[in-house]
Amino acid sequence: MADSLHNSRIRKWFASSPPVVWGFRQMRELLIGALKQGPIPQHVAFVMDGNRRFARNHHIETVEGHNLGFESLARILEVCYKTGVKVVTIYAFSIENFKRSKHEVDALMSMAKVKLQQLSEHGALLDRYGASIRVLGQRSLVKADVLEAIDRAVALTAGNKKAILNVCFPYTSRDEITTAVRDTVEEYSRPVGEPLPPLKRPFSETHITQHIRQQMLQSVPEDLAEQHSSRSASPSSSKDTSSAAEHSSATSTAINVSDQDDSYGYSSAFRDPESITAETLTDHMLTAGAPPLDLLVRTSGVQRLSDFMLWQCHEKTSIVFLECLWPEFDLWNFLPVLVEWQWQRKKIQEQERGRGRHGLD
Ligand SMILES: CC(C)=CCC/C(C)=C/CC/C(C)=C/COP(=O)(O)OP(=O)(O)O
């Protein structure tokens, strides 16, 4: 026991001696320079998992584990920005984390306050790499003093335009996606031209039915469509006459699509819900404007996404699960991940080029 303590002290002394620190720094610069010769992921996300386990393993306070986790984050941010990563997104606090003990939640909140300030100070890490902070998540769940610290950090770094640090806090993907869908529906329910009567909303059941009918009519042969139109036009075909506005718009769809379109004001007053694409929703996510997510790394051996970046993970996102705990994560763990990503990306690019050539032949 005394021997191992002695050895660990010697190792620490050796690692922190100026020539060794200098040597490591030089080696780091060389490796980063070599990495920069290849493709670099433009958007990297981290699930910083394992702070508490690290604390338990080393018999230190949980809060101390989170503090060491922050130090690890600072090291990795430096590597990312030095290599040319444009956007780093971190899972700093999940909405689920509110279920932890009050003591731990309070400690994480005060840590966020202090660390956001440290990160954004003039001359500090983000300033050196021209990175701005964005805090993504449910502001309504955050106390006023923490919100103030968030807003200060965002304002202080707003002028930095080279890179971005997205701090997800408090965040879950389901919450983000739900909000994005709600915002999209709200936007598409707002008239873009002249205001319409309140019943005529593009997401009403009648409106959707009418749209489907319109599309079906367009896809059937003309003579059949005419038969269908004349049948629908007869008063006997209407099932309900009580809801005048909604009903008349539904039957008139079948009578004359173009007349209906004008009288209803569908195409002129509202944006067409059919024009909502995956891109529309991407533009309503909290990461709107960021490059596609190239790489997601989770430490601590847990192989789950835990409601993080569910929308942002696409067919080319590399998802990497590492065994090391977050406070242990450094350049030496990250380097093989980046090299593997470069190798995979080159393979994808070659395949795409091959397909392009094949298409041209
Ligand atoms: C700027 C800013 C706000 C920085 C945040 C710093 C930071 C490292 C936050 C991590 C918080 C967290 C809940 C980590 C997960 O590990 P865990 O506690 O779930 O560990 P476990 O998996 O061992 O239980």
Side-chain angles (χ1 to χ4, degrees), residues 286-302:
L286 297 168
T287 50
L293 183 60
D294 290 318
L295 176 62
L296 185 147
V297 178
R298 179 173 188 155
T299 52
S300 92
V302 177

Side-chain angles (χ1 to χ4, degrees), residues 48-54 56 66 69-70 73 90-92 97 100 104 108 111-112 115-116 119 167 169 300 326:
M48 309 179 287
D49 203 16
N51 293 344
R52 289 189 301 186
R53 270 168 284 166
F54 183 88
R56 265 199 304 275
H66 289 310
F70 177 79
L73 169 67
I90 56 165
Y91 208 178
N97 288 156
R100 293 189 178 186
E104 193 183 345
L108 282 167
M111 188 176 98
K115 301 303 182 191
L116 282 171
L119 276 174
V167 180
F169 179 98
S300 92
W326 179 258

